[in-house]
Amino acid sequence: MSKKLTPQQSQELLSILKIRFEKNIKRHPNLQWHNIQAKLEASPEKLWSLNEMDITDGEPDVVAYDETTNTYTFVDCAAESPKGRRSLCYDHAALEARKEHKPSDSAVNMANEMGIELLNEVQYQELQKLGEFDLKTSSWIQTPDHIRQLDGALFCDRRYNTVFVYHNGAQSYYAARGFRGLLKV
């Protein structure tokens, strides 16, 4: 599978991202779209990953810029966990361990295929400072090895104006649980 968009697909995605960027300036004050666009145009594989985030209803947007590394961070900013990435168990080991009623994929597998990372707990908390996300859904997050080795996995949501971190068996999956991704460009 080619991880490169056609010129038309690239222009369509850049247009969507620009509109989203301009509509949500509070997420990225002091950043200029033309700098971000130039960086994206120079990174076709990253643009492909952003397209994967977008077509699975993640609504990726810029949330940070690191001057030291000249890197922009895009995160799924959809109000709820992306619709095209729900009903997934945590990782491949959890998927393989299920004997019946297997989900179609796992969050970690899908993120790897898309070229993105699951948010970690700190990144999820930072995202919640930019708005209110996952009021009706939840999102798997990166799970520390010591928890995963015990067959657990972590997920987050926002309820009662508070961000909660929970645990579940990594094999579990729910229609209202997906994952949010992060991509550095």
Side-chain angles (χ1 to χ4, degrees), residues 94-110:
L95 183 64
E96 290 299 309
R98 284 196 72 92
K99 301 297 181 216
E100 54 185 32
H101 308 295
K102 288 187 178 198
S104 62
D105 205 347
S106 76
V108 172
N109 286 351
M110 188 176 242

Side-chain angles (χ1 to χ4, degrees), residues 121-140:
E121 184 178 348
V122 171
Q123 293 161 338
Y124 190 90
Q125 294 280 359
E126 288 299 312
L127 175 64
Q128 292 286 355
K129 292 176 184 175
L130 300 175
E132 295 184 351
F133 302 94
D134 287 334
L135 298 176
K136 298 175 186 169
T137 58
S138 61
S139 296
W140 289 115

Side-chain angles (χ1 to χ4, degrees), residues 3 8 11 44 54 66 68 70 82 90 101 140 142 151 165 176:
K3 292 191 175 187
Q8 180 181 348
Q11 288 309 309
D54 199 64
D66 184 338
T68 311
N70 186 29
Y90 180 71
H101 308 295
W140 289 115
Q142 290 181 28
D151 292 328
V165 178

Side-chain angles (χ1 to χ4, degrees), residues 34-54:
H34 66 278
N35 295 331
I36 298 165
Q37 182 171 337
K39 194 92 159 143
L40 290 171
E41 288 172 341
S43 305
E45 283 192 11
K46 302 282 185 166
L47 199 56
W48 179 87
S49 292
L50 282 171
N51 191 62
E52 293 294 299
M53 292 170 80
D54 199 64

Side-chain angles (χ1 to χ4, degrees), residues 154-169:
L154 301 180
F155 67 96
C156 295
D157 64 21
R158 183 183 190 115
R159 304 290 191 271
Y160 311 108
N161 203 28
T162 303
V163 178
F164 291 95
V165 178
Y166 307 92
H167 60 89
N168 218 167

Side-chain angles (χ1 to χ4, degrees), residues 167-180:
H167 60 89
N168 218 167
Q171 296 177 25
S172 66
Y173 66 98
Y174 301 93
R177 181 171 310 144
F179 73 92
R180 291 178 181 278

